[in-house]
Amino acid sequence: VLSAHATVSEELQSLRRNVFRLLGVSEFSEKGQWVDPAAKLILKDVVCTQCGVSQDLDLSVDLNPDCECEFFDEKTHKRIIEARLIEELKKKVIGWNLQDVVCMRCNQVRHGDMGHLCECAGRFKCIENGKDLQTYFRTIRQLAAFYKMNHLSSTMDWILGSGARKSASVKIDRAIILN
């Protein structure tokens, strides 16, 4: 979408290639691709309480929608966003806890809850990637701290078993999530 002026684009491309060569990285490798350092979370279909405009909000950019309201109440809107984030968080936790597990050897879904090994003697693994859930939790925690959403922070602590609650409702590596 954004690019340099046509007169300097060739020079910039040459400069980019030279920098990659100096760093010892291929221009087309994963290390050579741009990764946005900010935590991104887009909340779908957020409705303004004043004018009824519905839009998707990128919470890493701004908490307020782009609408033409005269009397926009930011505190009420922040509480609504916080409640939506808590609901999304609960859905993620329920989805993680209710997911199927599959055999690593034969890819069959486990049909009995008591067996530790598959009929083929293979071990089971979760279908969903735990790293994605950990990234989501980190993003939620960062947004809760940045926007000072105390209820969301305490819900995260409750789910992860930190603070007053001793057992987590999500059984993944808490040490990675809490950092």
Side-chain angles (χ1 to χ4, degrees):
V1 176
L2 297 177
S3 62
H5 194 271
T7 59
V8 294
S9 64
E10 288 182 33
E11 294 170 1
L12 283 176
Q13 189 65 23
S14 174
L15 178 67
R16 184 173 189 252
R17 280 191 205 112
N18 288 335
V19 168
F20 278 125
R21 190 175 63 234
L22 286 173
L23 294 174
V25 176
S26 171
E27 192 174 350
F28 304 104
S29 70
E30 273 189 43
K31 291 181 180 178
Q33 301 303 315
W34 166 254
V35 177
D36 193 359
K40 285 229 179 261
L41 183 67
I42 296 175
L43 199 57
K44 302 276 187 195
D45 298 327
V46 176
V47 178
C48 175
T49 56
Q50 299 296 321
C51 64
V53 171
S54 174
Q55 58 187 274
D56 298 342
L57 282 183
D58 185 359
L59 298 179
S60 62
V61 176
D62 193 13
L63 196 61
N64 299 326
D66 294 327
C67 59
E68 304 294 328
C69 298
E70 290 181 24
F71 304 106
F72 184 74
D73 187 9
E74 289 186 23
K75 287 183 180 180
T76 303
H77 183 69
K78 182 178 169 182
R79 284 195 304 261
I80 291 170
I81 296 294
E82 187 174 19
R84 283 275 309 271
L85 286 173
I86 290 170
E87 286 302 313
E88 293 291 324
L89 184 63
K90 288 178 182 178
K91 287 178 186 176
K92 286 276 190 185
V93 170
I94 290 170
W96 174 264
N97 287 332
L98 294 180
Q99 72 175 312
D100 287 331
V101 292
V102 295
C103 177
M104 293 171 69
R105 188 180 282 173
C106 66
N107 280 339
Q108 293 294 316
V109 176
R110 181 170 71 179
H111 49 41
D113 288 335
M114 298 303 287
H116 294 289
L117 295 175
C118 182
E119 294 171 352
C120 72
R123 303 185 66 117
F124 291 108
K125 69 173 184 169
C126 295
I127 291 176
E128 293 182 28
N129 186 357
K131 298 280 185 199
D132 295 339
L133 187 65
Q134 291 171 349
T135 303
Y136 180 78
F137 282 164
R138 265 194 223 104
T139 303
I140 292 289
R141 190 176 284 281
Q142 290 170 357
L143 289 173
F146 181 75
Y147 289 118
K148 296 176 180 62
M149 295 180 174
N150 297 328
H151 192 199
L152 181 60
S153 293
S154 64
T155 303
M156 279 291 297
D157 290 342
W158 183 82
I159 287 172
L160 297 175
S162 56
R165 184 171 182 200
K166 298 299 180 203
S167 66
S169 53
V170 179
K171 302 294 183 194
I172 55 178
D173 191 1
R174 284 186 331 148
I176 295 172
I177 297 170
L178 294 175
N179 294 333

